[in-house]
Amino acid sequence: MRHTTSNPASSTGERRVVANVVRGCIGNLVEWYDWFVYAAFSVFFAASFFPKSSTTAQLLSTALVFAVGFLMRPIGGYILGRYADRYGRKNALTLSVLMMAAGSLIIAATPSFEAIGMLAPALLVTARLIQGLSVGGEFASSATYLSEVATPGRRGFYSSFQYVSIILGQLAALGVQIILLQLLTLDQMHSWGWRVPFVIGAIAAVTVMLFRRGMDESDQYKDEAARIAAEKASGTTPSAKRGTLRLLLQYPKQLAMVFGLAIGGTVAFYTYTTYLQKYMINTSGIAPETVAWINFAALFVYMLLQPVAGLVSDRIGRRKVMLFFGIGSTVLTVPILTLLGNTTNAFVAFGLMMTGLVIVTAYSALSAIVKAELFPTKVRALGVGLPHAITAALFSGTAEPLALALKQAGHESAFFYYVVGCSALTLVAALFMPKGKGGTTLDPATDSPTLDPATDSPARDGREDDRDGRELERV
């Protein structure tokens, strides 16, 4: 007869993992709420910051400012990624949320274009630059932190909550939008109502900043810091400084992999979660109130799918899940967006948006872990953050203004093929991922692994050790 005994130490460790994941995700939620509020309310505040013109031209102006924020993300990924590798994930996460609060407060308090002229869009750009720095650093630190504190063998599951919190932030932005649309008239929304969500975001960010000060640092970072401290105490020169660009460039194949995996995933993510709102209003002709509900319902289901996909990747490996995204997005993007642009039926629109989001789930749920598993602790945050942020700035941040510009030029469908091209590049990158369950540098035994010359990746991923541990618990 086989019995299993309870392991108090294991239970305590799991509770600690859950607590740290929750702490990391709450801050991530607020940061991405602040980031998405801009996109959700741009249709209402565009006229306040820019000269009167056509609606599409004003939206294009706000979209370009949105893209400017993306251009700061590589700098944020470098500065805060380096900071996280050298001074800790917790400190970097606290700093990033403070910067986001400052950006939201500036937007909320900026007078209109009619009141202060060109200073209004200048302040808007300044705020988005600050928020771009924040988001660039937040992704790096958050992805690294959640991947490091997760339980071996369940890293895909726990790290998937990064996008759960990102989507919750977007849902919170949409929720505030829906409530305000019920309470205020459209004239009030265009006049002053759009400022309310930015005030909410600034207050929430300051609150989270204080909350994050109580987070636990990851064991991987503490072990790396202790190792370097021991080397210094013994008079030995540390083998390499943490979080330096010079050190990062020693991992060219990993950098190329992050670029390849991120390009299609981030473009598809912003297409289906951000641009689609304007697409359904301006192209499909669906009422803004209805579009808000479609977005809210679809994103809620999308959020629930993240841990499912993460758990599946723990069982069958990251490569198969990423291939599902690459193939699905490459083949189905054009049909989905074409059909969506020719329907005014809310249920059909929801179904089409949901189809796209199911495909994107295969990327977003794994976005943190597939990148964090590529790098050792001493350069992980920078390795995850910088190449991802550069890719997001060049391709994701320009996706919406490109789509609007093509629409204004009468070639809107060309944007669909842009998404397809980016997704095809991610498909190619996924084909080069290790087969099976892949490798990781997240576990102590493989933090400084000998890399396979063919894949530049370690052979074990910690799941074997996790299963071995569970076997020892059986009596």
Side-chain angles (χ1 to χ4, degrees):
M1 184 174 179
R2 178 176 289 178
H3 300 279
T4 58
T5 58
S6 175
N7 188 331
S10 177
S11 299
T12 301
E14 194 72 13
R15 285 196 297 269
R16 181 184 175 190
V17 167
V18 172
N20 283 323
V21 168
V22 169
R23 292 187 187 102
C25 286
I26 289 178
N28 206 37
L29 185 161
V30 172
E31 285 225 34
W32 287 95
Y33 162 85
D34 283 329
W35 182 255
F36 282 119
V37 154
Y38 181 96
F41 285 84
S42 62
V43 293
F44 300 108
F45 68 69
S48 295
F49 287 98
F50 300 98
K52 291 183 178 180
S53 180
S54 69
T55 301
T56 301
Q58 288 179 337
L59 289 175
L60 179 57
S61 297
T62 58
L64 288 172
V65 176
F66 189 76
V68 166
F70 271 90
L71 295 178
M72 293 302 292
R73 288 177 64 169
I75 300 175
Y78 173 73
I79 294 175
L80 291 179
R82 178 184 173 93
Y83 185 82
D85 283 330
R86 303 190 76 169
Y87 302 106
R89 307 354 180 169
K90 182 180 75 171
N91 291 332
L93 287 168
T94 302
L95 178 59
S96 68
V97 79
L98 175 62
M99 295 168 65
M100 184 61 74
S104 292
L105 192 59
I106 290 172
I107 296 175
T110 298
S112 68
F113 180 86
E114 292 183 353
I116 60 173
M118 291 303 297
L119 188 58
L123 287 171
L124 180 65
V125 170
T126 300
R128 291 302 288 179
L129 292 177
I130 295 172
Q131 291 186 324
L133 285 171
S134 172
V135 169
E138 172 70 21
F139 183 90
S141 302
S142 175
T144 300
Y145 183 78
L146 293 178
S147 298
E148 287 180 346
V149 300
T151 306
R154 303 190 71 189
R155 296 194 190 278
F157 172 73
Y158 281 119
S159 64
S160 71
F161 282 88
Q162 182 189 36
Y163 264 82
V164 170
S165 59
I166 289 174
I167 300 160
L168 268 177
Q170 189 164 3
L171 285 174
L174 287 172
V176 171
Q177 184 185 60
I178 290 171
I179 292 171
L180 289 177
L181 284 172
Q182 299 299 315
L183 298 177
L184 303 176
T185 66
L186 287 178
D187 286 341
Q188 289 173 323
M189 285 293 293
H190 285 281
S191 176
W192 58 268
W194 62 266
R195 298 181 186 273
V196 174
F198 291 101
V199 174
I200 294 172
I203 295 172
V206 172
T207 303
V208 168
M209 180 193 69
L210 299 175
F211 177 74
R212 273 187 166 176
R213 293 175 64 185
M215 290 171 61
D216 293 330
E217 187 55 84
S218 74
D219 289 338
Q220 283 87 342
Y221 175 79
K222 289 189 290 187
D223 290 344
E224 180 69 15
R227 182 186 67 79
I228 292 177
E231 287 181 351
K232 290 181 178 179
S234 64
T236 304
T237 302
S239 55
K241 291 185 177 180
R242 293 173 289 174
T244 64
L245 192 58
R246 182 177 180 179
L247 178 61
L248 179 63
L249 293 176
Q250 295 178 19
Y251 301 89
K253 293 183 180 180
Q254 289 90 334
L255 288 171
M257 183 65 74
V258 174
F259 278 117
L261 294 175
I263 184 171
T266 55
V267 168
F269 175 78
Y270 279 98
T271 296
Y272 285 104
T273 64
T274 303
Y275 173 66
L276 227 59
Q277 181 184 27
K278 299 177 181 65
Y279 183 70
M280 285 189 281
I281 293 173
N282 291 337
T283 300
S284 304
I286 303 173
E289 297 87 349
T290 304
V291 169
W293 281 109
I294 292 172
N295 270 8
F296 191 90
L299 288 173
F300 184 80
V301 178
Y302 174 54
M303 176 188 69
L304 298 179
L305 292 174
Q306 303 306 302
V308 176
L311 191 61
V312 169
S313 79
D314 285 330
R315 297 290 184 266
I316 69 173
R318 322 292 187 215
R319 184 175 184 268
K320 292 179 181 178
V321 180
M322 288 297 299
L323 284 173
F324 175 81
F325 164 76
I327 295 170
S329 188
T330 301
V331 173
L332 296 178
T333 292
V334 173
I336 290 172
L337 294 178
T338 301
L339 290 171
L340 183 58
N342 289 280
T343 185
T344 56
N345 185 293
F347 293 101
V348 173
F350 170 80
L352 290 168
M353 182 177 181
M354 200 63 249
T355 301
L357 289 175
V358 168
I359 295 170
V360 176
T361 295
Y363 164 77
S364 57
L366 275 61
S367 179
I369 191 66
V370 294
K371 297 160 190 170
E373 285 182 327
L374 294 171
F375 298 95
T377 302
K378 58 189 175 184
V379 75
R380 184 172 293 129
L382 183 60
V384 171
L386 183 58
H388 176 91
I390 291 173
T391 307
L394 294 177
F395 298 96
S396 308
T398 56
E400 186 176 335
L402 174 63
L404 289 169
L406 288 170
K407 175 179 174 59
Q408 197 168 36
H411 303 289
E412 187 171 31
S413 61
F415 174 71
F416 308 164
Y417 293 94
Y418 172 77
V419 179
V420 168
C422 293
S423 299
L425 291 175
T426 293
L427 173 58
V428 172
L431 290 171
F432 284 92
M433 292 178 68
K435 293 182 180 180
K437 294 183 179 179
T440 183
T441 60
L442 287 164
D443 298 310
T446 57
D447 188 43
S448 299
T450 300
L451 301 178
D452 185 328
T455 63
D456 213 11
S457 299
R460 288 172 63 91
D461 66 352
R463 297 181 189 86
E464 298 91 338
D465 299 330
D466 188 52
R467 286 194 296 272
D468 293 345
R470 288 199 297 270
E471 288 295 327
L472 291 174
E473 291 179 9
R474 294 177 180 173
V475 178

